[in-house]
Amino acid sequence: MTFAYTPHICAAALSVLAGSTFAQTVIEAESDGQAANNTLANAQQLAPGAFSTNNSSTVFGSLPTARVQGRSSASDVDFFRFSMPAGLAYFDIDAAAPGLDTYLALFDSSGTLLADSDDSFPADPGSASDFDAFLGGIQLNAGTYFIAVAVSGNFANATFTGATPAELTRPDGAFGGFSFPGANTADSSFAVSGQQNSSLPYTLSVTIPAPGAAAALALAGMVGLRRRSRRA
């Protein structure tokens, strides 16, 4: 038997995994000046329980969101890993410290670049300036992905490889970075701007369809769920 995807099912599945309150902020597992999560292989995991229905005015829509508090500067590149069903995703740096010009890059499970974003203009809700990067919305298949946070000047080497890049659009219709169909396969390397030193704080919001929803429904005896993507 097949079941149609509905927001009610999605919310119920999410509450099984993460509870009804907004998930606690994830703290980057890297000491200031260190390089613990600076490669794809060492990416910090964002578990399903880190995501809960967005209730913040600084994040678009109400899709499940994980919040990450980290630090970045110079050659520091922070990788975070997450898994999701098919649907729309977007990634937002908010309230970055003055002087921190952020950059975001999205990779698939093989380390192939899918999209990136430097400045986001005009500034999105929660951002003090358009130097706070925003990436998406981007439609993704079910799977595991990596989002990398860096300082502007550190760019993914696969940027502008492959087919002609396409502009992405934020949920409010503003510019949301570029997607790169056919980018160099499995190239998650970065061109870095300098030696790592004392860094500045950032807050990253990762917004995706409900992670682990299929597992929660299976536990309830509901198998064969078909999802359809939905916009925030």
Side-chain angles (χ1 to χ4, degrees), residues 70-224:
R71 301 183 70 89
S72 186
S73 182
S75 63
D76 186 23
V77 181
D78 299 327
F79 282 88
F80 300 94
R81 181 176 70 248
F82 62 95
S83 296
M84 58 173 278
L88 191 72
Y90 39 94
F91 311 87
D92 184 15
I93 296 283
D94 276 334
L100 183 62
D101 185 356
T102 49
Y103 168 82
L104 290 170
L106 177 68
F107 300 86
D108 68 13
S109 59
S110 72
T112 299
L113 179 69
L114 300 178
D116 78 354
S117 179
D118 188 356
D119 300 335
S120 179
F121 44 86
D124 61 86
S127 289
S129 78
D130 56 16
F131 291 137
D132 287 351
F134 187 102
L135 176 57
I138 183 169
Q139 195 74 23
L140 299 174
N141 295 325
T144 297
Y145 296 90
F146 299 84
I147 186 71
V149 181
V151 174
S152 181
N154 300 343
F155 293 98
N157 282 320
T159 300
F160 295 113
T161 64
T164 303
E167 284 195 11
L168 298 172
T169 304
R170 287 182 350 201
D172 62 353
F175 174 71
F178 293 98
S179 65
F180 302 104
N184 289 347
T185 303
D187 182 3
S188 60
S189 63
F190 271 71
V192 296
S193 63
Q195 295 300 310
Q196 186 167 328
N197 51 28
S198 182
S199 51
L200 296 172
Y202 63 80
T203 300
L204 168 68
S205 295
V206 177
T207 299
I208 61 174
L217 290 169
L219 288 174
M222 302 173 68
V223 296

